[in-house]
């Protein structure tokens, strides 16, 4: 595949000719002086439109959808039909080359491993960015998007739509008012994965479908031959492309935990799971994060807290006050249990439907902004709040609630959960230095042993196990998980100072 580099050279001309200019510096003019009225429509391009990207764009259809990009045109066909006037592309770099000067904002809903390179490039071009969860595939990528968004002063939003809902806001107001007291323990869960995981790399060869550009699908990931088990949709179950059930759902389920408890970086993590291998996440897992004490709020303290995660059918023990028959998976997505010194709070995925196990209903005044209509777990309101922010000048902008200054550090927490699982065979509580993005108790000489292949057969009535393992330098492996090495021809923008 020829590498397209011209969009980097052409970035300079993207500061002119835009329909809306709330975030550009033009010939030294201050940003606030190039702001246009919110009545103008944005020009939006969608990248990764065959799956979740399609409803995201429908939620943005108040604006001009001018470009559509997907590596699989068969999978993307319904979205192409929805927006027939938009120009079609397979390579987002070519789209940036050809219509970049006309684009105000982009929607990214590709597989996890290509989120960062697309979003980071768009940020350097001063484009507003809406990016699906998990925000990135690695911790370093999350830090990069956080800093680029801060530098370029554009409107950003991660696609965890429950974050715009009224449930998480009510939950925060209750906790900050001291309604359940100090919280030292939280449990969170989901029923995912609902796609195959714990897989070994297939050995059979398959022909690449004519409608799919396999090399573009791989993007910065290491090359591997095509197989239908990878895409569409099943890519979440492969380490090179996705982050498993944790990455898929924790950005929804843990959002009220991260927000209400004002968390930042954990200092210790540990994880365990069903069998894991070098290729694919496990079928079920549990992770514990421990966060140091934070600054107390006026009405409640913020002591050290342990956050416990469960997926793949694992669930926390049921508390004594929980009525028999209460379904902890009633919304089909997941939930959280906040154990306080005065009461226990239970909520559904994304913080919706908070309730106290005591049965008491707190009477707490609203202090957080509500987004009209965002009363359920639906698309549209989260996208529209981003569009509103795009049309406001940086100096006067009311930031979206999942803008990258919030969702970037939050996503780092989520990806640490993934690392707790990938590094579990070190058999230790991992100590994390969040500021410097590194583990402090993995020595340069330690080995990490991970299963690469595992099979079971019964021969003449007797069980036979065949397991193969690979050895890695543990510190090098951890550093690679934190900051991926990209395939030749794919490069991230530099980290702002």
């Amino acid at each position: 595949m020829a590498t397209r580099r011209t969009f980097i050279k052409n970035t300079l001309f993207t500061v002119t000719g835009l329909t809306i200019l709330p975030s550009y510096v033009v010939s030294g003019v201050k940003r606030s002086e190039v702001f246009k009225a919110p009545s103008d429509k944005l020009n939006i391009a969608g990248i990764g439109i065959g799956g979740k990207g399609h409803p995201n764009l429908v939620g943005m259809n108040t604006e001009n959808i001018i470009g559509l990009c997907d590596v699989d045109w068969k999978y993307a066909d319904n979205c192409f039909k929805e927006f027939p006037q938009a120009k079609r592309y397979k390579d987002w770099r070519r789209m940036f080359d050809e219509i970049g000067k006309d684009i105000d904002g982009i929607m990214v809903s590709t597989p996890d491993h290509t989120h960062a390179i697309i979003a980071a490039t768009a940020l350097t071009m001063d484009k507003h960015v809406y990016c699906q969860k998990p925000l990135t595939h690695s911790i370093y990528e999350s830090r990069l998007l956080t800093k680029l968004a801060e530098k370029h002063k554009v409107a950003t939003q991660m696609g965890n739509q429950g974050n715009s809902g009224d449930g998480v806001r009510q939950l925060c107001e209750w906790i900050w008012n001291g309604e359940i007291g100090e919280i030292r323990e939280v449990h969170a869960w989901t029923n995912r994965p609902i796609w195959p995981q714990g897989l070994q790399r297939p050995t059979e060869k398959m022909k690449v479908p004519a409608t799919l550009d396999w090399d573009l699908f791989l993007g910065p990931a290491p090359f591997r031959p095509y197989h239908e088990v990878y895409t569409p949709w099943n890519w979440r179950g492969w380490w090179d492309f996705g982050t498993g059930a944790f990455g898929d759902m924790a950005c929804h389920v843990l959002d009220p935990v991260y927000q209400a408890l004002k968390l930042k970086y954990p200092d210790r993590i540990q994880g365990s799971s069903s069998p894991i291998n070098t290729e694919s996440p496990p079928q079920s897992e549990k992770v514990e994060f421990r966060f140091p004490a934070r600054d107390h709020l006026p009405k409640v303290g913020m002591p050290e807290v342990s956050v416990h995660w469960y997926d793949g059918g694992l669930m926390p023990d049921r508390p004594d006050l929980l009525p028999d028959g209460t379904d902890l998976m009633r919304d089909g997505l997941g939930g959280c249990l906040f154990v306080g010194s005065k009461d226990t709070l239970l909520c559904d995925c994304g913080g919706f439907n908070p309730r106290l196990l005591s049965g008491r209903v707190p009477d707490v005044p609203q202090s957080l902004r509500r987004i009209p209509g965002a009363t359920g777990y639906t698309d549209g309101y989260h996208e529209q709040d981003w569009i509103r922010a795009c049309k406001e000048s940086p100096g006067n902008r009311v930031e979206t609630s999942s803008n990258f200054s919030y969702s970037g550090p939050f996503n780092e927490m989520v990806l640490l959960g993934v690392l707790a699982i990938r590094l579990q065979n070190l058999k230790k509580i991992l100590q994390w230095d969040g500021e410097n993005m590194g583990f402090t108790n993995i020595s340069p000489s330690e080995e990490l042993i991970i299963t690469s292949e595992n099979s079971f057969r019964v021969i003449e009535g007797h069980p036979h196990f065949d397991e193969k393992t690979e050895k890695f330098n543990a510190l090098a492996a951890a550093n690679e998980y934190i900051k991926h090495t990209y395939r030749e021809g794919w490069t991230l923008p530099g980290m702002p100072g």
Side-chain angles (χ1 to χ4, degrees):
M1 178 190 69
T3 303
R4 299 188 61 86
R5 303 183 184 275
T6 55
F7 69 88
I8 298 294
K9 297 177 182 178
N10 292 340
T11 299
L12 291 177
F13 69 66
T14 65
V15 299
T16 61
L18 295 177
T19 303
I20 295 179
L21 302 172
S23 54
Y24 295 82
V25 176
V26 182
S27 301
V29 178
K30 293 181 180 178
R31 295 177 185 271
S32 60
E33 295 172 355
V34 294
F35 171 63
K36 281 196 173 184
S39 58
D40 292 338
K41 288 190 175 184
L42 297 171
N43 288 338
I44 294 175
I47 305 167
I49 59 168
K52 184 63 177 177
H54 186 180
N56 285 152
L57 286 176
V58 171
M60 301 174 185
N61 65 9
T62 54
E63 312 306 300
N64 301 318
I65 310 301
I66 67 168
L68 298 174
C69 180
D70 201 289
V71 298
D72 187 342
W73 278 21
K74 180 180 179 181
Y75 192 47
D77 187 58
N78 285 337
C79 193
F80 286 151
K81 291 175 180 175
E82 183 95 30
F83 303 101
Q85 302 304 316
K87 294 195 68 173
R88 303 178 183 184
Y89 297 90
K90 284 191 174 180
D91 190 334
W92 57 270
R93 299 166 300 176
R94 181 181 176 188
M95 182 172 74
F96 283 2
D97 274 347
E98 293 187 1
I99 64 171
K101 66 182 185 300
D102 299 319
I103 296 171
D104 298 318
I106 67 163
M107 184 286 304
V108 182
S109 190
T110 59
D112 300 351
H113 73 295
T114 51
H115 283 188
I117 193 168
I118 301 170
T121 301
L123 289 170
T124 64
M125 297 169 67
D126 287 309
K127 308 301 182 186
H128 305 292
V129 177
Y130 183 104
C131 186
Q132 259 305 328
K133 53 77 197 167
L135 188 62
T136 66
H137 197 230
S138 78
I139 290 169
Y140 175 87
E141 294 168 342
S142 288
R143 188 72 57 92
L144 175 64
L145 293 194
T146 302
K147 291 196 171 186
L148 285 173
E150 179 182 5
K151 176 181 178 180
H152 291 273
K153 308 299 182 186
V154 292
T156 56
Q157 183 90 300
M158 181 171 73
N160 54 335
Q161 65 266 42
N163 175 273
S164 283
D166 61 352
V168 67
R169 286 157 168 75
Q170 184 181 52
L171 179 150
C172 287
E173 290 161 351
W174 287 5
I175 290 176
W176 297 342
N177 200 56
E179 296 298 321
I180 67 170
E182 292 188 348
I183 299 168
R184 299 179 182 272
E185 178 185 341
V186 181
H187 300 268
W189 57 89
T190 183
N191 61 353
R192 268 53 172 181
I194 53 175
W195 52 84
Q197 287 193 180
L199 306 172
Q200 296 176 177
R201 186 182 294 213
T203 56
E204 63 179 312
K205 295 182 179 179
M206 286 190 171
K207 184 178 179 180
V208 179
T211 58
L212 171 66
D213 190 316
W214 177 240
D215 196 68
L216 286 178
F217 174 87
L218 290 173
F223 180 82
R224 66 172 68 201
Y226 166 79
H227 193 281
E228 65 183 8
V229 74
Y230 299 131
T231 184
W233 209 68
N234 285 340
W235 51 263
R236 293 192 185 281
W238 301 93
W239 288 129
D240 277 355
F241 312 133
T243 47
F246 205 115
D248 177 57
M249 289 303 295
C251 289
H252 292 304
V253 178
L254 288 177
D255 180 53
V257 182
Y258 192 81
Q259 188 172 165
L261 300 186
K262 296 189 175 293
L263 303 177
K264 194 175 183 186
Y265 304 128
D267 56 13
R268 289 160 290 175
I269 59 170
Q270 60 178 316
S272 62
S273 72
S274 59
I276 187 175
N277 62 48
T278 54
E279 294 286 336
S280 180
Q283 286 286 354
S284 58
E285 59 198 344
K286 63 178 185 177
V287 174
E288 181 193 13
F289 303 85
R290 280 187 255 176
F291 292 86
R294 286 83 60 218
D295 291 341
H296 291 346
L297 300 182
K299 295 186 177 181
V300 68
M302 291 282 165
E304 180 180 82
V305 61
S306 295
V307 178
H308 302 263
W309 171 267
Y310 314 80
D311 67 37
L314 301 179
M315 298 289 282
D317 294 335
R318 299 172 71 88
D320 291 340
L321 290 177
L322 187 70
D324 290 346
T326 301
D327 185 1
L328 295 179
M329 281 295 306
R330 69 177 195 171
D331 67 352
L333 297 170
C336 295
L337 194 70
F338 296 79
V339 181
S341 58
K342 293 165 43 179
D343 210 329
T344 299
L345 188 154
L346 174 65
C347 70
D348 297 341
C349 182
F352 286 108
N353 302 310
R355 59 267 193 203
L356 304 187
L357 294 193
S358 66
R360 183 173 59 88
V361 179
D363 182 14
V364 176
Q366 291 186 4
S367 59
L368 296 175
R369 177 177 69 98
R370 297 306 200 262
I371 296 173
T375 57
Y377 216 86
T378 55
D379 296 311
Y381 305 103
H382 200 54
E383 292 87 342
Q384 284 296 314
D385 200 48
W386 172 68
I387 288 169
R388 171 204 54 76
C390 292
K391 295 180 180 182
E392 295 174 354
S393 64
N396 297 306
R397 179 179 295 139
V398 176
E399 295 289 355
T400 62
S401 55
S402 199
N403 70 85
F404 291 177
S405 68
Y406 168 82
S407 57
F410 172 35
N411 198 67
E412 291 187 33
M413 173 199 174
V414 170
L415 295 180
L416 268 177
V418 176
L419 266 58
I421 295 301
R422 298 195 74 172
L423 297 170
Q424 64 181 290
N425 286 340
L426 293 177
K427 298 175 174 54
K428 63 173 66 178
I429 297 174
L430 295 165
Q431 297 174 8
W432 178 246
D433 178 355
E435 293 292 340
N436 295 303
M437 292 186 289
F439 293 104
T440 60
N441 64 335
I442 299 178
S443 71
S445 60
E446 283 184 82
E447 282 189 337
L448 177 65
I449 301 174
I450 306 176
T451 298
S452 57
E453 295 181 32
N454 196 6
S455 63
F456 168 77
R457 295 180 298 164
V458 175
I459 302 176
E460 296 182 352
H462 298 284
H464 289 260
F465 300 89
D466 184 13
E467 181 180 21
K468 298 178 181 178
T469 60
E470 291 187 34
K471 291 183 179 180
F472 303 87
N473 177 276
L475 187 59
N479 289 336
E480 175 64 25
Y481 297 158
I482 294 165
K483 181 183 179 182
H484 301 326
T485 301
Y486 276 18
R487 188 161 62 114
E488 185 178 356
W490 300 85
T491 306
L492 280 170
M495 182 77 75

